[in-house]
Amino acid sequence: LLLRQARIFETELGDPDRATRAYEAVLQIDEHNAVALEALARIYEATGQWERCLASLERHVVVETDRDERALLLFKCGSIVETHFADGEQATVYYEHAIEESPVCLPAIHGLRELHLRRGNWQRVLATFEQELTLWEEPREQAGICARIAEVYQQQLGDLVQARRYYERALSLDPGCQPAAVALFAAVYEAGEWSRARVLSEMLAPRLAREADAALRAVFF
């Protein structure tokens, strides 16, 4: 009855204060009620009460039995402490726990990657890409990730051998992966591998003529 009352306050009457009191009354009777905990987190988020929202999410994690759902709840906790409390270290802990719960939790993987990107921790950035690479089945998505891994090796770590290996891998997965083809063409051109450069240039020319900006087309041609 209290849950029904709380839903009416929340959804029909638009009264978050009375809805909150009703949901809290539910928790006094059943402290592990996942519906009330989820609703309170939703209300606290909508009203900008971030400490209370975080507390409700943490309580919900304890009672949630589905690992994928627990992972999403942990990701939400990490997002709150990162965005609203500027606590990157604690956000990292939440994101890592989310991935431990469910290795397929892409929001947590992406959140962790953004933290490592801002810190310039390139090995950990690469680790998140490698983890994401195992989750995709579509060759085009895999190729895009391989191209981004190659960019990190090339631009941030200066490892041209590894960069080229991942560009090649990207093109083996998706011959139409333009970023990988452009970068690999530049690499083989600089290395004087003219036969390979010619093959790549013939493949790239029609696409760049249609899609690339003027500066890239000029350098390429």
Side-chain angles (χ1 to χ4, degrees), residues 75 77-83 86-96 99 107-122 124-125 128:
F75 160 72
C77 291
S79 180
I80 287 172
V81 298
E82 178 186 1
T83 305
D87 190 342
E89 293 299 326
Q90 187 59 39
T92 299
V93 172
Y94 279 120
Y95 293 147
E96 289 176 344
I99 295 168
I109 293 173
H110 293 164
L112 191 60
R113 180 185 305 148
E114 289 302 314
L115 284 172
H116 292 320
L117 278 168
R118 290 198 292 272
R119 296 167 180 162
N121 193 332
W122 303 112
R124 292 197 174 185
V125 169
T128 64

Side-chain angles (χ1 to χ4, degrees), residues 5 8 11 22 42 111 128 141 148 156 158 186 190 202 205 208 218:
Q5 184 185 57
I8 292 172
T11 62
R42 181 172 61 245
T128 64
E141 295 290 346
R148 295 187 67 186
Q156 307 300 334
E190 291 297 327
E202 290 173 347
L208 293 184

Side-chain angles (χ1 to χ4, degrees), residues 24 36-61 73 76-81 84-85 94:
E24 287 175 345
L37 289 168
E38 181 181 4
L40 283 172
R42 181 172 61 245
I43 292 172
Y44 291 142
E45 180 180 6
T47 55
Q49 300 178 70
W50 299 112
E51 289 186 1
R52 291 184 173 183
C53 182
L54 183 60
S56 294
L57 289 170
E58 289 176 333
R59 291 176 66 184
H60 193 174
V61 169
L73 291 169
K76 289 179 181 179
C77 291
S79 180
I80 287 172
V81 298
H84 299 285
F85 299 109
Y94 279 120

Side-chain angles (χ1 to χ4, degrees), residues 20-202:
T20 297
R21 289 195 293 271
Y23 284 126
E24 287 175 345
V26 171
L27 293 177
Q28 290 176 5
I29 299 170
D30 175 13
E31 63 179 336
H32 301 308
N33 190 288
V35 174
L37 289 168
E38 181 181 4
L40 283 172
R42 181 172 61 245
I43 292 172
Y44 291 142
E45 180 180 6
T47 55
Q49 300 178 70
W50 299 112
E51 289 186 1
R52 291 184 173 183
C53 182
L54 183 60
S56 294
L57 289 170
E58 289 176 333
R59 291 176 66 184
H60 193 174
V61 169
V62 174
V63 302
E64 180 59 58
T65 57
D66 184 275
R67 299 196 69 167
D68 290 337
E69 288 298 322
R70 277 207 305 272
L72 286 174
L73 291 169
L74 287 164
F75 160 72
K76 289 179 181 179
C77 291
S79 180
I80 287 172
V81 298
E82 178 186 1
T83 305
H84 299 285
F85 299 109
D87 190 342
E89 293 299 326
Q90 187 59 39
T92 299
V93 172
Y94 279 120
Y95 293 147
E96 289 176 344
H97 284 174
I99 295 168
E100 288 171 5
E101 287 288 340
S102 175
V104 301
C105 185
L106 278 174
I109 293 173
H110 293 164
L112 191 60
R113 180 185 305 148
E114 289 302 314
L115 284 172
H116 292 320
L117 278 168
R118 290 198 292 272
R119 296 167 180 162
N121 193 332
W122 303 112
Q123 291 300 331
R124 292 197 174 185
V125 169
L126 288 171
T128 64
F129 276 126
E130 292 286 359
Q131 187 165 14
E132 185 175 356
L133 187 59
T134 66
L135 304 182
W136 290 103
E137 296 181 358
E138 297 87 348
R140 186 174 181 180
E141 295 290 346
Q142 293 175 330
I145 294 171
C146 284
R148 295 187 67 186
I149 292 173
E151 288 173 1
V152 173
Y153 275 117
Q154 179 181 9
Q155 299 172 12
Q156 307 300 334
L157 300 178
D159 189 336
L160 300 183
V161 174
Q162 281 287 75
R164 180 163 173 173
R165 183 166 75 85
Y166 276 97
Y167 284 133
E168 295 276 12
R169 185 176 173 185
L171 289 176
S172 70
L173 289 163
D174 176 18
C177 183
Q178 182 175 306
V182 170
L184 188 58
F185 171 74
V188 298
Y189 180 88
E190 291 297 327
E193 299 177 24
W194 308 118
S195 296
R196 180 70 166 134
R198 179 177 179 178
V199 171
L200 288 167
S201 69
E202 290 173 347

